[in-house]
Amino acid sequence: MEAMAAAKPVIKVAALCGSLREGSYNRGLLRYAMELTKEEIDGIQIDYIDISPLPMLNTDLEVDGKYPPVVEAFRQRILVADSILFASPEYNYSVTGPLKNAIDWASRSPNVFANKAAAIVSVAGSLGGVRAQYHYRQIGVYLDLHFINKPEFFLNAYESPAKFDSDGNLIDPASKKRMKKVLLALQAFTLQLQGCNFNLSTTSEFPRRIGRLSEEGHGLTPCTEGSLAPPFPASTRYKLGRTSETYDWYDLETCNNERSVLSQFQDEHFRLKNKRYTPNARERMYKFGLVASWVFFLIVIMLNYRVNSIEDACCKRNVFSRSLDLWVAYS
């Protein structure tokens, strides 16, 4: 048992809080997470990073390709981490300014968030920060930051019973259990990402072609001897800052495949070929509808002309011995 425990890989988690308040409930979540890793969960080390010293993002502060010392130190701590744990409230239905500023500094070239696992927890009023979480997930898409999908953690701090004590420490038993599940899921997902590096030669069976993230990636390499495999190596295109080629390629290939599958389904089930279906069928239907509409309007005009002629001749006559003249009957 001791040998197995010694061989178990340890992941390093960088913890970022989106609130700078002294008694922040979100910082209380991170404190409890750190307690869990010391007492109940093995294989996780949490490094809490204070983002309050970071200046507001200003590229004028970058001199000769170097960042201010406080920014560089922050980026290095993110770089050496295996995964990220965000804890953030919700400001105006969205992310907080301090944490967004920290994310922007870390995403400056080279992006130190790339290809890391991440989890987000939030404490707020009302919905518990759900809208902010979705915005963080959207940001993570561009940064190649891979958030776990489940379990989700939203907490309304103002519901009864009390979730935190006067010092901002988490005291709710149900929330503690949920927080533990989040950490275990983050640990498992991080090991999954770092346990295998993909390239094109080893991912032909994967529909999303994960290996496209790096053309220089190694083969399928399991995590062995108690050490984590190196993170996904970044390709030259990624280092130039063009991180969307992978997804553009995937979207294009997916569209082409879906188009061919749909065409095959139509041919097999609707027998459109037997009905002389061609790619120009839609154009022919459009022309037919246009001609039909013109014919309809022509008929309406002719009927209107005939009604006017009859009205001129028989305007004062009664129809079927009723006091309705022909003009009223047709109007």
Side-chain angles (χ1 to χ4, degrees):
M1 292 296 294
E2 294 180 358
M4 293 180 60
K8 185 175 182 178
V10 177
I11 66 171
K12 189 173 183 179
V13 179
L16 304 177
C17 181
S19 174
L20 304 182
R21 187 170 64 91
E22 186 70 23
S24 168
Y25 293 148
N26 287 277
R27 189 178 292 115
L29 286 182
L30 296 181
R31 283 198 301 270
Y32 179 70
M34 297 173 69
E35 293 176 5
L36 281 177
T37 58
K38 295 177 181 178
E39 298 175 0
E40 300 184 30
I41 302 178
D42 296 328
I44 300 180
Q45 292 180 351
I46 296 183
D47 176 26
Y48 174 74
I49 305 176
D50 183 12
I51 62 175
S52 59
L54 294 176
M56 291 299 294
L57 181 67
N58 184 355
T59 54
D60 290 339
L61 300 178
E62 303 175 18
V63 181
D64 297 330
K66 297 181 179 179
Y67 300 101
V70 63
V71 174
E72 188 60 37
F74 165 73
R75 287 170 52 85
Q76 287 299 321
R77 292 173 72 177
I78 296 292
L79 181 63
V80 299
D82 301 304
S83 57
I84 313 296
L85 176 61
F86 297 98
S88 175
E90 177 181 306
Y91 290 174
N92 299 320
Y93 282 16
S94 189
V95 303
T96 69
L99 187 50
K100 180 60 167 64
N101 181 62
I103 292 174
D104 291 340
W105 274 121
S107 65
R108 295 290 294 164
S109 180
N111 173 22
V112 295
F113 278 131
N115 298 316
K116 296 183 186 295
I120 182 168
V121 294
S122 60
V123 182
S126 184
L127 300 179
V130 58
R131 289 165 292 222
Q133 286 204 22
Y134 290 150
H135 287 180
Y136 284 116
R137 291 177 182 274
Q138 290 174 345
I139 295 172
V141 171
Y142 183 75
L143 299 182
D144 292 332
L145 193 61
H146 310 296
F147 281 92
I148 62 173
N149 294 325
K150 295 178 181 179
E152 296 178 308
F153 188 101
F154 316 112
L155 183 59
N156 186 336
Y158 307 103
E159 290 180 341
S160 58
K163 305 298 188 296
F164 297 87
D165 61 17
S166 58
D167 296 326
N169 298 314
L170 184 64
I171 59 175
D172 181 49
S175 300
K176 289 183 176 181
K177 293 180 180 179
R178 293 169 54 201
M179 192 66 192
K180 183 176 181 180
K181 291 181 180 179
V182 171
L183 290 178
L184 291 175
L186 178 60
Q187 181 186 36
F189 188 51
T190 303
L191 294 176
Q192 180 182 353
L193 286 181
Q194 295 191 334
C196 300
N197 291 323
F198 301 97
N199 63 16
L200 293 178
S201 63
T202 60
T203 58
S204 58
E205 68 276 15
F206 290 93
R208 291 187 64 90
R209 300 292 181 91
I210 303 174
R212 282 285 183 170
L213 288 174
S214 172
E215 295 178 0
E216 294 84 19
H218 301 289
L220 191 61
T221 307
C223 178
T224 57
E225 298 181 359
S227 61
L228 296 177
F232 290 103
S235 65
T236 54
R237 290 185 177 182
Y238 170 76
K239 292 177 182 178
L240 292 176
R242 298 194 293 267
T243 60
S244 62
E245 286 88 353
T246 301
Y247 304 102
D248 296 340
W249 172 89
Y250 167 70
D251 292 340
L252 178 61
E253 184 179 59
T254 301
C255 290
N256 292 335
N257 291 339
E258 290 178 351
R259 189 179 296 112
S260 62
V261 171
L262 179 60
S263 176
Q264 182 180 0
F265 177 82
Q266 290 174 338
D267 294 342
E268 292 179 356
H269 296 274
F270 296 101
R271 302 184 183 279
L272 296 179
K273 286 186 177 180
N274 297 336
K275 296 183 179 181
R276 297 180 181 179
Y277 175 80
T278 66
N280 296 326
R282 180 176 298 179
E283 182 179 357
R284 293 201 305 271
M285 292 176 63
Y286 170 77
K287 292 181 179 178
F288 175 79
L290 185 63
V291 172
S293 62
W294 278 107
V295 172
F296 172 76
F297 285 117
L298 181 62
I299 293 175
V300 171
I301 293 174
M302 293 177 63
L303 288 176
N304 186 47
Y305 174 78
R306 181 174 178 81
V307 167
N308 290 336
S309 300
I310 296 176
E311 185 269 337
D312 292 339
C314 310
C315 183
K316 299 301 180 180
R317 294 183 181 180
N318 291 336
V319 179
F320 300 116
S321 301
R322 297 179 182 177
S323 59
L324 292 175
D325 56 48
L326 201 58
W327 174 254
V328 175
Y330 272 95
S331 62

